[in-house]
């Protein structure tokens, strides 16, 4: 459903024609720019509230003055509205919505869905079939959880390529952290019970888990299976011991604590997590407020967006009441298919946790603003040093890394006024050039980066840093001219005569050299960006070089042709799986004899080839 197309949009008439069903509304400017996306438990009431003449804050009034039309999408319930709102905010980035910065992935626990499930740390898209638990505030919290899981339930954590090709138990079995399903030392039924118990534990249902274990222990005792009963008794003891140490308000709890601190239009949301009473630590988020100055609104947007993507706990404590709390609570409960409660004005120990989160939010925001201020000052110094008319909003830097021309990799890192923008980092595997030709490598990388930007209308930097002197700079300039890219300030960062930090020369396209010195804030900023590009390039180069050398080792082994090499890599799921396999496992691959398996194993591990396998 759409509103009028003119700038004189009649919001009252549009709202009056809407239904009272839940849904999502979108506001557009005259040039069809999306201004705002919102959810509503009742569309007519919510949209009408914007045009009822009551006082609005400056941000809302500015937004409403630009509205030329509106669209709405009716949903079946508030949970669908919340989900759709989050999807649109993330994909379309409306101008006036508070948005959760999502340039990092959140660590989770993955329990795979297969015959012998694997439990492991996971980051990134949920591409692997299975159950995902979390997110957790930090990788350390995930590892602590996994450490407990392996001790309690002895589930495997090895990759499938290793699991499928073992002939004897690994060290994890020897130290009591895995039941060795890879070599059938545990029955499928028993392993499935361990998986079920692990799921109960990760869901925060330790009391139910303890009851099930106690019942199983009694059944084993009645059946005179005293060894199994003793193992279950030890498991219950470990579980109870852990529960006695970790609790909130005297009982196990599954909750998150959220507090929001604001200074001007900058915000920090602090998340303190408890799962099954275990304190998993804190994590700070810095949402883009897009002009919103109300901490209540920012926290409400955070709760909607964050728990729209991540499973909420049973209880969420807030440091303040938020708008549409009842709508959000209902939507989260519906999506989670269980009761989710939002609380504020809590007492006792929970109030202490809210205060702790609030204090951490205030301190973290102050530190972040100090850091941003210093970063902005250095960015402004770059503008002044280079004589630019406009503020520097985006800086990119390219670096080339290789070893004697081998496995050449180019890196591109991106910084804005707030610091590194890691989601925009890129690496380029360089090919088709003379080994060691840094000039050709730089030109190829620049061409690939900006050709795509020109074709797709992607962002261009205000300043483009090239790690190198006049030669590399000339190649970059030529590539930009060939692509028709204008308005980008090119700067070469050449090492000084003594190659010492602070003695760098900044080479400009007109031949001038600037030597601002080690005390210059502008050079300090450029060094920071250049060093990050260097680190990112080296990391990519080392990975590519290692892969190439491993592949080369296979190619150098007599009796290994392209077909057999492909068969080996496919069987073990890659080089890592092949290297982790023993001689017996390698010999199981079709077409690989015991002698050839011995040669492969020896070459991959730097061992001398046995005489029996040398023939």
């Amino acid at each position: 459903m759409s509103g009028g197309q003119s700038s004189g949009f009649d919001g009252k008439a549009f709202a009056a024609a809407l239904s009272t069903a839940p849904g999502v509304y979108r506001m557009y400017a005259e040039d069809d720019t999306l201004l705002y996306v919102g959810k509503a438990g009742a569309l007519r009431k919510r949209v009408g509230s914007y045009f009822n003449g009551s006082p609005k804050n400056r941000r809302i009034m500015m937004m409403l003055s630009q509205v030329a039309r509106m669209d709405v999408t009716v949903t079946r319930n508030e949970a669908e509205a919340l989900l759709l709102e989050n999807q649109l905010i993330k994909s379309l980035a409306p101008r006036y919505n508070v948005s959760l910065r999502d340039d990092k992935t959140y660590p989770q626990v993955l329990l795979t869905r297969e015959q012998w499930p694997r439990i492991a740390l996971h980051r990134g898209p949920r591409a692997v079939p299975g159950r995902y638990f979390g997110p957790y505030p930090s990788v350390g919290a995930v590892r602590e959880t996994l450490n407990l899981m392996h001790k309690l339930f002895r589930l495997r954590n090895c990759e499938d390529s290793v699991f499928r090709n073992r002939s004897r138990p690994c060290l994890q079995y020897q130290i009591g952290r895995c039941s060795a399903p890879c070599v059938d030392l545990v029955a499928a039924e028993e392993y499935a019970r361990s998986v079920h118990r692990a799921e109960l534990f990760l869901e925060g249902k330790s009391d139910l888990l303890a009851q099930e274990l106690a019942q199983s222990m009694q059944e084993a005792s009645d059946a005179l299976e005293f060894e199994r009963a003793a193992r279950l008794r030890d498991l219950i003891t470990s579980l109870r011991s852990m529960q006695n140490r970790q609790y909130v308000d005297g009982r196990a709890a599954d909750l998150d604590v959220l507090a929001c601190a604001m200074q001007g239009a900058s915000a920090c949301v602090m998340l303190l997590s408890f799962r099954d009473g275990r304190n998993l630590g804190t994590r700070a988020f810095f949402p883009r407020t897009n002009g919103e100055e109300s901490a209540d609104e920012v926290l409400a947007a955070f709760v909607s967006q964050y728990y729209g993507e991540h499973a909420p706990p049973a209880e969420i404590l807030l440091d303040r009441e938020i708008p549409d709390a009842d709508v959000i609570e209902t939507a989260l409960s519906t999506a989670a298919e269980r009761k989710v409660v939002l609380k504020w004005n809590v007492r006792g120990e929970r109030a202490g946790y809210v205060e702790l989160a609030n204090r951490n939010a205030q301190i973290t925001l102050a530190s972040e603003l100090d850091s941003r201020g210093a970063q902005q000052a250095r960015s402004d110094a770059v503008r002044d040093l280079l004589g630019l008319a406009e503020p520097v909003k985006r800086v990119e830097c390219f670096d080339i890394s290789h070893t004697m021309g081998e496995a050449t990799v180019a890196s591109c890192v991106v910084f804005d006024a707030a610091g590194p923008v890691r989601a925009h980092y890129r690496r380029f595997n360089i090919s088709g050039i003379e080994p060691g030709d840094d000039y050709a490598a730089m030109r190829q990388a620049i061409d690939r980066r900006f050709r795509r930007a020109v074709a797709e209308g992607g962002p261009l930097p205000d300043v483009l840093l090239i790690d190198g002197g006049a030669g590399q700079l000339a190649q970059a300039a030529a590539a930009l001219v060939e692509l028709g890219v204008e308005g980008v300030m090119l700067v070469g960062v050449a090492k000084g005569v003594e190659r010492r930090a602070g003695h760098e020369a900044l080479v400009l396209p007109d031949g001038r050299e600037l030597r601002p010195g080690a005390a210059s804030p502008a050079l300090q900023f450029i060094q920071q960006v250049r060093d990050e590009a260097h680190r990112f390039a080296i990391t990519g180069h080392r990975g590519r070089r290692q892969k190439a050398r491993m592949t080369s080792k296979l190619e150098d082994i007599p009796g290994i042709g392209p077909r057999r090499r492909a068969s080996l890599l496919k069987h073990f799921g890659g080089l890592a799986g092949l290297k982790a396999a023993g001689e017996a496992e390698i010999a199981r691959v079709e077409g690989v004899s015991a002698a050839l398996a011995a040669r492969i194993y020896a070459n991959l591990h730097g061992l001398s080839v046995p005489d029996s396998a040398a023939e």
Side-chain angles (χ1 to χ4, degrees):
M1 180 176 181
S2 299
Q5 300 293 323
S6 67
S7 57
F9 174 64
D10 189 346
K12 288 185 178 180
F14 177 74
L18 295 176
S19 74
T20 57
V24 170
Y25 57 91
R26 299 175 293 283
M27 298 181 177
Y28 292 89
E30 201 158 8
D31 62 356
D32 258 1
T33 299
L34 182 59
L35 300 173
Y36 187 78
V37 173
K39 65 182 177 304
L43 283 166
R44 182 190 302 167
K45 181 179 179 181
R46 180 60 173 164
V47 174
S49 68
Y50 287 100
F51 306 101
N52 60 10
S54 63
K56 310 286 190 305
N57 64 38
R58 182 178 58 185
R59 169 175 163 271
I60 297 298
M61 293 302 295
M62 183 179 298
M63 179 181 74
L64 293 177
S65 69
Q66 301 174 51
V67 175
R69 69 180 182 90
M70 289 184 66
D71 292 343
V72 301
T73 301
V74 175
T75 59
R76 290 178 296 180
N77 51 55
E78 294 172 357
E80 285 188 2
L82 180 70
L83 181 62
L84 179 58
E85 179 199 37
N86 292 331
Q87 290 172 343
L88 292 174
I89 290 173
K90 186 171 183 179
S91 62
L92 302 178
R95 183 183 299 173
Y96 286 95
N97 276 95
V98 176
S99 63
L100 175 61
R101 297 185 66 168
D102 195 21
D103 54 355
K104 295 181 180 178
T105 55
Y106 304 100
Q108 297 173 300
V109 171
L110 166 62
L111 186 60
T112 60
R113 188 183 300 118
E114 50 192 319
Q115 181 182 2
W116 302 98
R118 174 173 67 95
I119 189 167
L121 182 151
H122 178 85
R123 300 190 76 156
R126 298 183 175 189
V128 180
R131 290 197 64 185
Y132 293 82
F133 299 89
Y136 289 76
S138 66
V139 171
V142 176
R143 287 177 177 152
E144 180 186 346
T145 299
L146 289 175
N147 186 43
L148 281 171
M149 301 295 289
H150 291 308
K151 287 180 179 178
L152 292 174
F153 308 113
R154 305 177 69 200
L155 301 182
R156 74 179 181 96
N157 67 350
C158 54
E159 295 288 344
D160 289 345
S161 58
V162 175
F163 175 78
R164 289 194 302 264
N165 294 285
R166 290 209 64 87
S167 59
R168 58 183 181 274
C170 67
L171 180 62
Q172 293 295 306
Y173 171 78
Q174 303 295 337
I175 62 177
R177 293 168 56 88
C178 179
S179 54
C182 55
V183 289
D184 298 325
L185 292 186
V186 59
E189 183 181 351
E190 180 63 28
Y191 194 84
R193 280 197 292 266
S194 295
V195 171
H196 169 68
R197 292 164 184 165
E199 288 180 305
L200 290 178
F201 181 87
L202 290 169
E203 289 169 354
K205 299 177 180 177
S206 287
D207 287 335
L208 177 59
L209 172 58
Q211 292 172 14
E212 287 194 9
L213 291 173
Q215 182 178 348
S216 296
M217 181 180 68
Q218 185 62 48
E219 292 172 355
S221 178
D222 293 342
L224 305 182
E225 297 177 2
F226 299 118
E227 187 175 335
R228 185 163 73 91
R231 288 199 302 268
L232 291 168
R233 178 204 61 203
D234 293 343
L235 181 55
I236 294 171
T237 301
S238 299
L239 194 62
R240 292 300 189 195
S241 175
M242 184 185 65
Q243 286 179 313
N244 290 337
R245 293 195 308 269
Q246 300 159 337
Y247 62 90
V248 178
D249 283 350
R251 62 183 179 85
D254 189 23
L255 64 88
D256 283 348
V257 184
L258 292 170
C260 181
M262 289 200 70
Q263 291 189 34
S266 298
C268 173
V269 176
M270 185 64 63
L271 169 66
L272 171 60
S273 292
F274 293 87
R275 293 297 181 270
D276 198 29
R278 292 181 298 119
N279 187 335
L280 301 181
T282 60
R283 181 164 188 167
F285 299 83
F286 301 95
R288 293 187 178 91
T289 63
N290 291 328
E292 177 58 67
E293 297 179 357
S294 167
D296 302 354
E297 294 284 355
V298 171
L299 188 56
F302 178 89
V303 171
S304 294
Q305 294 178 40
Y306 183 78
Y307 294 111
E309 293 191 4
H310 307 295
E315 189 177 357
I316 302 173
L317 307 184
L318 308 174
D319 72 333
R320 67 194 70 231
E321 184 177 1
I322 60 175
D324 298 325
D326 54 342
V327 175
I328 295 173
E329 186 178 87
T330 301
L332 293 181
S333 298
T334 303
E337 298 181 344
R338 54 180 168 77
K339 184 66 175 175
V340 176
V341 180
L342 302 182
K343 293 182 180 179
W344 52 92
N345 291 331
V346 292
R347 298 181 179 179
E349 192 170 358
R350 278 168 164 72
Y353 287 123
V354 172
E355 173 58 29
L356 176 65
N358 197 301
R359 186 164 63 250
N360 274 276
Q362 300 284 352
I363 294 171
T364 304
L365 179 60
S367 175
E368 175 72 9
L369 290 177
D370 286 345
S371 175
R372 288 182 191 175
Q375 189 83 357
Q376 185 63 55
R378 290 194 292 267
S379 179
D380 291 342
V382 171
R383 177 195 61 192
D384 296 339
L385 178 66
L386 300 178
L388 301 175
E390 299 294 330
V392 176
K393 297 179 180 179
R394 182 184 176 98
V395 176
E396 295 186 12
C397 183
F398 279 77
D399 187 27
I400 306 295
S401 181
H402 59 80
T403 301
M404 303 292 289
E406 178 190 3
T408 303
V409 170
S411 70
C412 171
V413 301
V414 181
F415 276 60
D416 62 12
V421 186
R422 293 184 175 84
H424 292 183
Y425 283 17
R426 294 291 181 270
R427 288 194 186 103
F428 304 93
N429 289 333
I430 304 300
S431 60
I433 65 170
E434 285 292 323
D437 188 346
D438 286 357
Y439 293 165
M442 182 62 72
R443 180 154 188 165
Q444 183 180 132
I446 296 291
D447 180 85
R448 288 166 62 182
R449 153 67 179 100
F450 288 95
R451 186 176 296 278
R452 182 173 181 179
V454 170
E456 300 177 0
L460 298 177
D462 301 303
V463 176
L464 178 58
L465 302 177
I466 304 297
D467 186 27
Q472 284 93 337
L473 189 68
Q475 294 297 321
L480 294 182
V481 169
E482 183 177 308
L483 294 170
V485 176
E486 298 179 349
V488 175
M489 180 68 183
L490 267 171
V491 180
V493 186
K495 296 179 177 64
V497 177
E498 299 180 2
R499 303 177 70 84
R500 290 169 54 192
H503 292 254
E504 291 88 349
L506 305 182
V507 184
L508 304 183
D510 59 9
R512 287 183 297 143
E513 286 192 4
L514 305 177
R515 297 181 180 273
S520 166
L523 184 59
Q524 291 168 6
F525 176 80
I526 289 171
Q527 286 174 325
Q528 179 188 6
V529 180
R530 188 270 318 274
D531 291 347
E532 177 68 353
H534 189 57
R535 178 200 65 79
F536 195 56
I538 286 177
T539 302
H541 161 63
R542 286 174 177 167
R544 188 183 182 196
R545 182 183 63 189
Q546 180 64 19
K547 183 176 180 180
R549 289 181 177 177
M550 287 289 289
T551 304
S552 177
K553 282 186 177 181
L554 281 179
E555 293 172 346
D556 293 341
I557 299 172
I560 300 291
R563 183 176 299 177
R564 193 166 285 165
R565 184 170 65 249
S567 179
L568 282 163
L569 295 176
K570 181 179 180 181
H571 182 87
F572 290 102
L575 288 165
L578 175 58
K579 190 171 183 180
E583 290 183 26
E585 290 93 338
I586 297 173
R588 292 176 186 170
V589 178
E590 185 178 356
V592 177
S593 65
L596 180 55
R599 286 204 301 270
I600 294 171
Y601 185 87
N603 274 273
L604 292 180
H605 294 83
L607 306 175
S608 59
V609 180
D611 293 337
S612 60
E615 295 299 326

